[in-house]
C-alpha cells in the first residue's frame, strides 16, 4: 500500500510539469492510452512505465468526467487497450490501477458501459486475472478485493457469467477465499457478492452445494446485531439462490437448518423494533420459502412449529404497511406448508349418477366409469410431489404463466386453415334433417301453423308460497313437502323458501340420493286439487300458516297434524305480470311439470317462479379492499393454529340419501340446492358465522366446479357471514377484479323488488389447501383447488335468499319464454318451433325458425322467401354460461317485435335458432357438460345445409367468458393466423374474403358493451373442435363466430367500470340483430370500400400484436388460451350514421 502511495505521488508531480495549455484536456487520456497500447507488446519489461501511465489515466478519469466519456465513446478503442493491458501485465500495482480505472468507468452509464465491457470479453479477462492472482502465495488481499468487487458489478449483466466462472475455475477460487476469510468482513463481502451471482446458475448451485457451500454460508449467518448487516444480507441472498435447487434444499432440510432459520427470523423480528433491517428478515424468509418447495422441507417446517412462528410474527407486522413484503412471503410459505387435506366428500364424482346407454371408451365419462370402486379419487400420492407450485403472492394474483411459448397453440398447418373439400357425411344420413327446413320448400297453400314444443304429461306440483305468521312475527316461508328421498320427513313449519314438486320429475335413471315414494303423498295431492293455488298467483300467494319452531322439523317421523287455522291466510306479493310481460307464474309452473331431472327435483325456486326485474340502479365493479386476500388466508391458517375454535359441523349434504338437510338447534344457516339448475353439494359450518361450501361436479364427470345456485335461510340481521366455495378449479377469476356474486331476497321480492342484485364484500379468489386428485386434474399432479370467498350481511330477519354465480336462466324459463313469444306471433311473422331431438334425460331441445311471411302466395314472393339468407344462432352449450341465454332472450324478443327494424330483419333473413343446446346440463346444475359428461357436437344441421348449397351467411354461437371483461367475438382468419404464427405462406394461401371482420366492426360501433380490441380471428389447435372453427372449416361459413359475453363487467365504453346485468345482456342480443341489418345493407349495396377499410385495420393492428400466455384452466369457454390480437388501432369512423338512425327504435324495444 505504501508503494502504491509513493507511485501515485510521483505521477502527480510529473503531471504538474506538463504545461496545461499544451495539450487539450479531452486528448490527454487518449494520448496516454496510445502510449499504453504501444507498450502492450512488452509491458512486462516496462512495468514501471505502465504503472505511471495507468496511474495518470486513473487520475484523469477520477477528476475529469469528459475523460471517461472519451474512453467509452463509440469508435474509441480505449476499452480494448485497457483490457489488453490487464491481460498482459503481471505487475500487481498496474493491475490494481487498471482495476480502479475499470471500476470508475463502469460505475456510471446505467449499465450500458458494463454491456460494452462484457461484449469486449472483459469477463473472461477478469477470470484469467483472478486465477493468476490466486496462484501467488499468499494472494494479494487488495487485488482479490478489487477483482471480486468488479466481478460483482459485471456478473449480473453477463448471461454467460456463471458458465464462464465454472469452466475457468474461478468458482473454486472464490469458495476457497470465503473459507479462508470468514473472519475478514472486508474481503468476505465482495466474495459473497460474486457467489450470489454464481448461484443463479442452476448447475453452479448444485456444484457449490456438493462442495459444502450451503453449510459454509450458515456459518456466516448470525443472530441480531447492528454490525456487518450488509454482509449478512448478501450471505442470505446467496443462500436463497442456492436453495432454489431441490438438491440443496433437501441438504438444508436434512441438516436441520430449518429450525435455525426460524430461530434467526424470530430473533431478528423481535429485536428489529424500528424495522431498519427488513431486507435481512426478507432474506431469511426467502430461504425458508425455497426450502419448503420440497416435501421434506415442508415437513421440517411444520415439525419446527414454523406455522405458529410465522403466523404470530406476521400478525404483528400487519399494522405496518411497509412490512407487507414480509407478510406476503410469510403467507406464501404458510399456504404451501398447510397440510394438504381431502375434500370433505366420499368421492369427487357427482352426487348424482345417470346410467348412460352407451359408455364411451375415452373422455370424462369413460374415465369415470372405468375407475374402480376401490380407487381413492379424492386425494392420491401425486398430490404430495416434491415440487410445490410456485406463485406470485400479491394482492391481485395474476394468471400463472404458462411455460410454453405464446405461439405454441396457433395452427400452423395451412391445410387445416382452409375449408375441407368433400362431404363429411353421406347425404342419406343427413336427409333426416330435411324436416327442420320445410320453409325452404313451403308453398303456403295451407295456413301457417306453428309447431309447439312437445310437453311431458302434467304432474302434480306444489309451488312456492309465502307463509304469514301471527301479526307479532314477520317471518317468511313456503309450503314444504317431504322429498322422495326422505320418506319419514314431515312437513316443517318454519322459514324456508320454495316449494316441492310432488311426484317423479326425472327418468328412471339411478341417483345416488335414491328414490321412493313418501308417506302422505296422496293426501297432499288431494289437498292441492281441492285448493286451486295457481289461481291466486296473479296478485296473491296463498300461504300456509305453520307452527312456530325451527325452520325444519327435527325428526323424520310421521306427519304432524295439519294446522287448519292456516287455511285461507294470504300474503300480498307483487304482480309480476306488470313488471315482466313475458313472465307468467302459472305458465312457469306448467312448464316445470314437463321438465325431467336426474335427481328428480321436486322443488321450484322462488327467483325462477317470481322472475327477475333488472334493477334501475347501476352496479359498479367492486373496488378491492387492500389486504383482503391476505386477511382471508390468515383466517384459514388460524384453523391449523387454533383448531379448538373450529366447529366443523355439516349442515347440508347431498351424499346423505335420507335427509340432505341436517337438523340442529337453530344456530346454523339452512342450505338447499334441490331445485332446477341448483348446485351445492355440501355445506360445513367451520365457525359460528363461516361456512365452507362444496359444489357438485357435472354428472358423469369428476370436475367442472364453477356454477353455483343455492338457497340460504335462517339468517340473523346485523351479522356478517362468510361463505367459502372451496373446490373451484380455475387458476384465477374475475372475482379478483371487481366481480360479485348474485343474491335474490324473497323478502325484497314480496316487497315489490323481485330481482337479482350483485352482492358480497371482502371478495377474493385464491389457492387453498384442499388437494386435487390427479384423476380430476386430467393427469396433472400436485394441483390444489381454489377458494372463492365472500362476506354478506343480510337485511331481513328470517329471509330466504338465493345465491348464484350468474343470473340463472333455467330450461323451464326458456320453455315459458318461448310459449309467451308464440303468443306475440302476428300473421306477418313466420314462427315454427321444432324439437330438434330428445335429450338423454328425456327433455326436448327446441329449434326455432323465424322469418317474415311472404307478401303473397305468388311464385315471385315465395321464391324470394325461400332464397333469403340463413342466419344460424345457438346458445347455452355450456350450462354454466347463463349470460348466453340472456343475450339470446334479447335476440328472440327483438326478432318477434313489431318495430320497423324487426320487420326489416325478418324480411331479410331466415333465422334458425337453437336457444339452449344442452337442456340436460342446464336442468341438473352442470357447469359445462351434458349427461354424457361430454361437450356437444351440433354441426349436423349445418352439414345438411352445406349439402343443399344453403350454408348460412352468419353462424354465431353465444357463450359466456369467465376471465375477461366486455362482449367480444372470436372468428377465423387464415391471414391473421399466419401473421401471428410467422409461418411461411404464399400470396395465394392468404387470399380470403375480409367480410369476416364486418359484423364485429359494426357491433363495436353500435353496442356499448362490445369491444373490438378484445376480438380475435386466430385459429388455435386447441379450438379445432369448437363450433365456430368446425363451421368455418367444414361448412365454409366465412362469418363463423363465437360471441363471448363477460360474466363480470366492462372496462371500456358506456358501461366502463360497471358490472354487467340482464338489461345490458338483452341489449347486446338486440344490437346483434341491428348489426345483422346493417350487414345486409352493406352486402346488398356491394360497397367494397368497407372491406378496404377492414384490410387497413388488420395491417395497422398487425404491428401491435400482443400475445400473452394465459393459464391452463379447464378446456373451458370457447376462448383460446392465447390472448387476442390487440386491435386498439381500430377506427370507429366508418358508417357511423347508422347508429343514430336506429338508436331510437332500439331504445324503444329495450324499454318494452
Amino acid at each position: 500500500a505504501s508503494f502504491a502511495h509513493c507511485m501515485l505521488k510521483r505521477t502527480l508531480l510529473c503531471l504538474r510539469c506538463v504545461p496545461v495549455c499544451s495539450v487539450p484536456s479531452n486528448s490527454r487520456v487518449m494520448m496516454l492510452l496510445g502510449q499504453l497500447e504501444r507498450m502492450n507488446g512488452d509491458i512486462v519489461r516496462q512495468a514501471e512505465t505502465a504503472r505511471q501511465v495507468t496511474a495518470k489515466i486513473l487520475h484523469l478519469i477520477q477528476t475529469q468526467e469528459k475523460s471517461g466519456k472519451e474512453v467509452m465513446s463509440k469508435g474509441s478503442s480505449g476499452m480494448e487497450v485497457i483490457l489488453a493491458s490487464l491481460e498482459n501485465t503481471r505487475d500487481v500495482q498496474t493491475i490494481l490501477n487498471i482495476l480502479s480505472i475499470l471500476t470508475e468507468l463502469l460505475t456510471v452509464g446505467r449499465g450500458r458501459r458494463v454491456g460494452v465491457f462484457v461484449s469486449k470479453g472483459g469477463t473472461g479477462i477478469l477470470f484469467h486475472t483472478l486465477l493468476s492472482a490466486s496462484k501467488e502465495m499468499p494472494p494479494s488481499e487488495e487485488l482479490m478485493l478489487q477483482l471480486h468487487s468488479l466481478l460483482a458489478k459485471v456478473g449480473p449483466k453477463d448471461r454467460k457469467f456463471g458458465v464462464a466462472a465454472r469452466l475457468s475455475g474461478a468458482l473454486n477460487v472464490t469458495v476457497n477465499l470465503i473459507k479462508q476469510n470468514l473472519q475478514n468482513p472486508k474481503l468476505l463481502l465482495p466474495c459473497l457478492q460474486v457467489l450470489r451471482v454464481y448461484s443463479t446458475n442452476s448447475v453452479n448451485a448444485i456444484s457449490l452445494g456438493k462442495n459444502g457451500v450451503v453449510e459454509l454460508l450458515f456459518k456466516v449467518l448470525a443472530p441480531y446485531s447492528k454490525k456487518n448487516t450488509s454482509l449478512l444480507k448478501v450471505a442470505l441472498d446467496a443462500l436463497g439462490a442456492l436453495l432454489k435447487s431441490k438438491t440443496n434444499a433437501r441438504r438444508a432440510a436434512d441438516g436441520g437448518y430449518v429450525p435455525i432459520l426460524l430461530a434467526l427470523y424470530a430473533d431478528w423480528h423481535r429485536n428489529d423494533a424500528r424495522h431498519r433491517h427488513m431486507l435481512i428478515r426478507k432474506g431469511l424468509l426467502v430461504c425458508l420459502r425455497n426450502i419448503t418447495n420440497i416435501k421434506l422441507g415442508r415437513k421440517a417446517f411444520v415439525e419446527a412449529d414454523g406455522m405458529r412462528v410465522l403466523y404470530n410474527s406476521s400478525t404483528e407486522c400487519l399494522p405496518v404497511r411497509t412490512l407487507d413484503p414480509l407478510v406476503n412471503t410469510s403467507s406464501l410459505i404458510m399456504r404451501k406448508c398447510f397440510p394438504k387435506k381431502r375434500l370433505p366428500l366420499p368421492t369427487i364424482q357427482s352426487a348424482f349418477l345417470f346410467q348412460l346407454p352407451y359408455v364411451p371408451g375415452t373422455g370424462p365419462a369413460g374415465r369415470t366409469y372405468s375407475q374402480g370402486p376401490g380407487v381413492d379419487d379424492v386425494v392420491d400420492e401425486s398430490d404430495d410431489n416434491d415440487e410445490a407450485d410456485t406463485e406470485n403472492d400479491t394482492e391481485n394474483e395474476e394468471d400463472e404463466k404458462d411455460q410454453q411459448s405464446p405461439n405454441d397453440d396457433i395452427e400452423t398447418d395451412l391445410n387445416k386453415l382452409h375449408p375441407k373439400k368433400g362431404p363429411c357425411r353421406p347425404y342419406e344420413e343427413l336427409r333426416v334433417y330435411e324436416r327442420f327446413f320445410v320453409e325452404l320448400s313451403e308453398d303456403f297453400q295451407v295456413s301457417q301453423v306453428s309447431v309447439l314444443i312437445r310437453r311431458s304429461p302434467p304432474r302434480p306440483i306444489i309451488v312456492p308460497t309465502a307463509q304469514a305468521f301471527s301479526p307479532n312475527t314477520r317471518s317468511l316461508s313456503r309450503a314444504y313437502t317431504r322429498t322422495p328421498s326422505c320418506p319419514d320427513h314431515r312437513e316443517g313449519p318454519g322459514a324456508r323458501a320454495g316449494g316441492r314438486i310432488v311426484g317423479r320429475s326425472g327418468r328412471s335413471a339411478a341417483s345416488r340420493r335414491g328414490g321412493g315414494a313418501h308417506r302422505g303423498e296422496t293426501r297432499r295431492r288431494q289437498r292441492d286439487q281441492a285448493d286451486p293455488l295457481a289461481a291466486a298467483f296473479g296478485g296473491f300467494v296463498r300461504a300456509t300458516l305453520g307452527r312456530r319452531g325451527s325452520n325444519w322439523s327435527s325428526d323424520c317421523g310421521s306427519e304432524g297434524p295439519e294446522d287448519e287455522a292456516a287455511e285461507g291466510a294470504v300474503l300480498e306479493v307483487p304482480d309480476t305480470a306488470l313488471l315482466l310481460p313475458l313472465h307468467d307464474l302459472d305458465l312457469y309452473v306448467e312448464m316445470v311439470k314437463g321438465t325431467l331431472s336426474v335427481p328428480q327435483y321436486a322443488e321450484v325456486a322462488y327467483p325462477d317462479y317470481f322472475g327477475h326485474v333488472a334493477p334501475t340502479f347501476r352496479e359498479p365493479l367492486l373496488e378491492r379492499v387492500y389486504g383482503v386476500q391476505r386477511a382471508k388466508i390468515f383466517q384459514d391458517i388460524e384453523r391449523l393454529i387454533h383448531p379448538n375454535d373450529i366447529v366443523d359441523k355439516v349442515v347440508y349434504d347431498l351424499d346423505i340419501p335420507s335427509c340432505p338437510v341436517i337438523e340442529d338447534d337453530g344456530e346454523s344457516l339452512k342450505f338447499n340446492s334441490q331445485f332446477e339448475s341448483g348446485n351445492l353439494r355440501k355445506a360445513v359450518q367451520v365457525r359460528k358465522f363461516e361456512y365452507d361450501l362444496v359444489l357438485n361436479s357435472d354428472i358423469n364427470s369428476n370436475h367442472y366446479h364453477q356454477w353455483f345456485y343455492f338457497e340460504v335461510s335462517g339468517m340473523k340481521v346485523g351479522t356478517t357471514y362468510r361463505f367459502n366455495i372451496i373446490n373451484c378449479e380455475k387458476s384465477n377469476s374475475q372475482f379478483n377484479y371487481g366481480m360479485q356474486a348474485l343474491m335474490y331476497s324473497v323478502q325484497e321480492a314480496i316487497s315489490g323488488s323481485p330481482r337479482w342484485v350483485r352482492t358480497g364484500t371482502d371478495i377474493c379468489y385464491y389457492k387453498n389447501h384442499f388437494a386435487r386428485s390427479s384423476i380430476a386434474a386430467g393427469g396433472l399432479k400436485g394441483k390444489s383447488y381454489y377458494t372463492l370467498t365472500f362476506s354478506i350481511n343480510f337485511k331481513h330477519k328470517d329471509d330466504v335468499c338465493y345465491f348464484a354465480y350468474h343470473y340463472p336462466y333455467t330450461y323451464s324459463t326458456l320453455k315459458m319464454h318461448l310459449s309467451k313469444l308464440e303468443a306475440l306471433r302476428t300473421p306477418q311473422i313466420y314462427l315454427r318451433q321444432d324439437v330438434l331431438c330428445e335429450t338423454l334425460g328425456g327433455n326436448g331441445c327446441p329449434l326455432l325458425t323465424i322469418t317474415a311471411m311472404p307478401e303473397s302466395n305468388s311464385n315471385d314472393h315465395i321464391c324470394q322467401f325461400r332464397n333469403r339468407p340463413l342466419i344460424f344462432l345457438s346458445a347455452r352449450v355450456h350450462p354454466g354460461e347463463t349470460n348466453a341465454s340472456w343475450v339470446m332472450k334479447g335476440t328472440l324478443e327483438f326478432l318477434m317485435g313489431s318495430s320497423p327494424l324487426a320487420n326489416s330483419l325478418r324480411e331479410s333473413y331466415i333465422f334458425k335458432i337453437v336457444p339452449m343446446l344442452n337442456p340436460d346440463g342446464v336442468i341438473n346444475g352442470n357447469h359445462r357438460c351434458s349427461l354424457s359428461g361430454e361437450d356437444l357436437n351440433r354441426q349436423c344441421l349445418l352439414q345438411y345445409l352445406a349439402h343443399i348449397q344453403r350454408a348460412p351467411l352468419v353462424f354465431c354461437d353465444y357463450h359466456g367468458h369467465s376471465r375477461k371483461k366486455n362482449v367480444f367475438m372470436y372468428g377465423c382468419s387464415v391471414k391473421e393466423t399466419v401473421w401471428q404464427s410467422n409461418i411461411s405462406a404464399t400470396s395465394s394461401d392468404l387470399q380470403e374474403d375480409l367480410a369476416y371482420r364486418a359484423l364485429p366492426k359494426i357491433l363495436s360501433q353500435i353496442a356499448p358493451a362490445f369491444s373490438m380490441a378484445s376480438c380475435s380471428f386466430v385459429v388455435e389447435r386447441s379450438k379445432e373442435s369448437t363450433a365456430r372453427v368446425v363451421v368455418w372449416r367444414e361448412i365454409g361459413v366465412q362469418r363463423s363466430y363465437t360471441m363471448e359475453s363477460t360474466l363480470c363487467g366492462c372496462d371500456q365504453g358506456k358501461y366502463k367500470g360497471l358490472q354487467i346485468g340482464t338489461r345490458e345482456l338483452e341489449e347486446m342480443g338486440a344490437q346483434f340483430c341491428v348489426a345483422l341489418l346493417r350487414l345486409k345493407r352493406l352486402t346488398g349495396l356491394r360497397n367494397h370500400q368497407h372491406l378496404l377499410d377492414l384490410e387497413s385495420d388488420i395491417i395497422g393492428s398487425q404491428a401491435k400484436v400482443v400475445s400473452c400466455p394465459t393459464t391452463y384452466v379447464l378446456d373451458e369457454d370457447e376462448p383460446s388460451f392465447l390472448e387476442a390480437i390487440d386491435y386498439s388501432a381500430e377506427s370507429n369512423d366508418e358508417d357511423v350514421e347508422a347508429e343514430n338512425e336506429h338508436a331510437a327504435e332500439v331504445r324503444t324495444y329495450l324499454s318494452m
Side-chain angles (χ1 to χ4, degrees), residues 454-472:
R454 177 194 61 80
R455 297 177 182 171
S456 300
R459 47 195 177 85
I461 181 173
I462 294 179
V463 294
T465 64
Q467 180 175 357
F469 281 80
S470 64
N472 295 328

Side-chain angles (χ1 to χ4, degrees), residues 11 43 95 168 247 378 590 691 741 788 877 995 1018 1045 1060 1110:
T11 302
I43 195 171
I95 293 174
S168 66
T247 304
V378 180
E590 289 300 313
Y691 295 82
L788 162 63
V877 66
V1018 176
S1045 299
I1060 202 161
T1110 59

Side-chain angles (χ1 to χ4, degrees), residues 648-719:
D648 199 23
K649 175 185 176 183
V650 178
V651 296
Y652 181 74
D653 192 354
L654 282 181
D655 289 296
I656 298 178
S658 57
C659 289
V661 180
I662 299 171
E663 299 301 329
D664 68 349
D665 54 4
E667 292 298 317
S668 303
L669 292 176
K670 309 299 183 299
F671 293 84
N672 181 43
S673 62
Q674 299 176 88
F675 44 80
E676 186 176 350
S677 294
N679 191 318
L680 177 65
R681 181 170 184 169
K682 191 170 187 175
V684 181
Q685 185 178 15
V686 292
R687 294 186 178 94
K688 186 174 182 180
F689 302 114
E690 181 178 355
Y691 295 82
D692 281 354
L693 309 178
V694 183
L695 303 181
N696 196 20
S697 59
D698 286 5
I699 294 176
N700 281 322
S701 174
N702 53 27
H703 54 263
Y704 300 123
H705 308 112
Q706 181 174 351
W707 168 256
F708 59 86
Y709 184 17
F710 57 88
E711 169 198 301
V712 178
S713 59
M715 65 283 294
K716 297 178 180 179
V717 177
T719 299

Side-chain angles (χ1 to χ4, degrees), residues 425-443:
R425 298 176 59 183
Y427 180 65
E428 290 73 19
E429 295 183 14
L430 296 174
R431 287 196 63 181
V432 66
Y433 299 103
E434 185 177 7
R435 62 191 177 93
F436 298 117
F437 299 94
V438 296
E439 69 278 358
L440 301 182
S441 58
E442 178 68 65
D443 58 9

Side-chain angles (χ1 to χ4, degrees), residues 85-338:
S85 301
L86 178 61
E87 187 175 22
N88 295 328
T89 187
R90 297 292 180 268
D91 181 68
V92 174
Q93 185 57 48
T94 303
I95 293 174
L96 288 172
N97 289 344
I98 294 175
L99 292 178
S100 297
I101 291 171
L102 291 173
T103 301
E104 291 290 336
L105 290 174
L106 301 184
T107 301
V108 296
R110 295 184 180 180
R112 186 191 67 82
R113 292 186 177 184
V114 177
V116 173
F117 174 86
V118 172
S119 67
K120 303 295 184 182
T123 305
I125 294 174
L126 288 180
F127 285 144
H128 172 75
T129 305
L130 178 64
L131 289 172
S132 299
S134 67
K135 295 176 183 178
E136 299 293 332
M137 288 299 173
S140 168
E141 179 177 325
E142 183 67 20
L143 183 56
M144 288 299 179
L145 179 65
Q146 290 268 33
L147 278 168
H148 280 87
S149 298
L150 196 55
L151 284 169
K153 189 183 298 292
V154 171
K157 300 293 183 180
D158 188 349
R159 295 181 180 179
K160 299 180 180 179
F161 186 82
V163 177
R166 184 174 67 254
L167 296 179
S168 66
L171 210 63
N172 294 329
V173 173
T174 302
V175 172
N176 290 332
L177 274 175
I178 294 174
K179 292 178 180 178
Q180 297 165 9
N181 292 275
L182 288 176
Q183 305 303 320
N184 183 359
K186 183 179 179 182
L187 180 56
L188 186 58
L189 178 60
C191 289
L192 289 175
Q193 289 173 334
V194 176
L195 181 67
R196 177 174 58 185
V197 185
Y198 289 161
S199 302
T200 58
N201 180 280
S202 58
V203 178
N204 286 353
I206 296 173
S207 176
L208 291 167
K210 291 179 179 179
N211 290 333
V213 176
V214 173
E215 295 81 358
L216 181 64
L217 288 175
F218 273 100
K219 295 179 181 179
V220 180
L221 304 186
Y224 175 79
S225 173
K226 295 181 180 180
K227 297 180 180 180
N228 298 325
T229 55
S230 298
L231 180 69
L232 184 56
K233 169 63 176 62
V234 176
L236 285 170
D237 288 345
L239 181 59
L242 287 174
L243 292 176
K244 287 183 178 180
S245 162
K246 290 193 295 183
T247 304
N248 291 337
R250 190 174 293 109
R251 181 176 288 107
D254 285 334
Y257 291 112
V258 172
I260 295 175
L261 287 170
L262 285 169
L264 286 171
Y265 181 75
D267 181 63
W268 280 88
H269 169 76
R270 182 171 54 255
N271 292 290
D272 185 24
R274 297 188 178 182
H275 312 304
R276 293 179 176 177
H277 304 293
M278 192 178 75
L279 293 179
I280 292 177
R281 294 157 67 181
K282 178 65 180 296
L284 289 165
L285 289 175
V286 168
C287 293
L288 286 169
R289 183 192 66 190
N290 293 341
I291 292 177
T292 53
N293 277 340
I294 63 170
K295 179 181 177 181
L296 184 63
R298 296 192 290 274
K299 180 180 178 182
F301 178 85
V302 174
E303 290 177 349
D305 203 21
M307 297 290 286
R308 188 179 301 275
V309 171
L310 293 192
Y311 174 80
N312 291 337
S313 61
S314 299
T315 304
E316 295 172 6
C317 291
L318 283 175
V320 185
R321 187 79 173 261
T322 56
L323 298 181
D324 279 356
L326 301 182
V327 177
N328 291 338
T329 306
S330 297
S331 171
L332 174 59
I333 296 170
M334 289 187 285
R335 290 169 66 187
K336 283 194 299 182
C337 296
F338 201 115

Side-chain angles (χ1 to χ4, degrees), residues 992-1022:
E992 69 176 342
D993 186 356
L994 296 179
Y996 67 88
R997 254 176 157 256
L999 187 59
K1001 180 74 173 184
I1002 295 170
L1003 283 170
S1004 70
Q1005 297 170 349
I1006 66 174
F1010 193 88
S1011 170
M1012 190 69 183
S1014 300
C1015 295
S1016 174
F1017 304 94
V1018 176
V1019 180
E1020 300 92 0
R1021 296 188 185 97
S1022 61

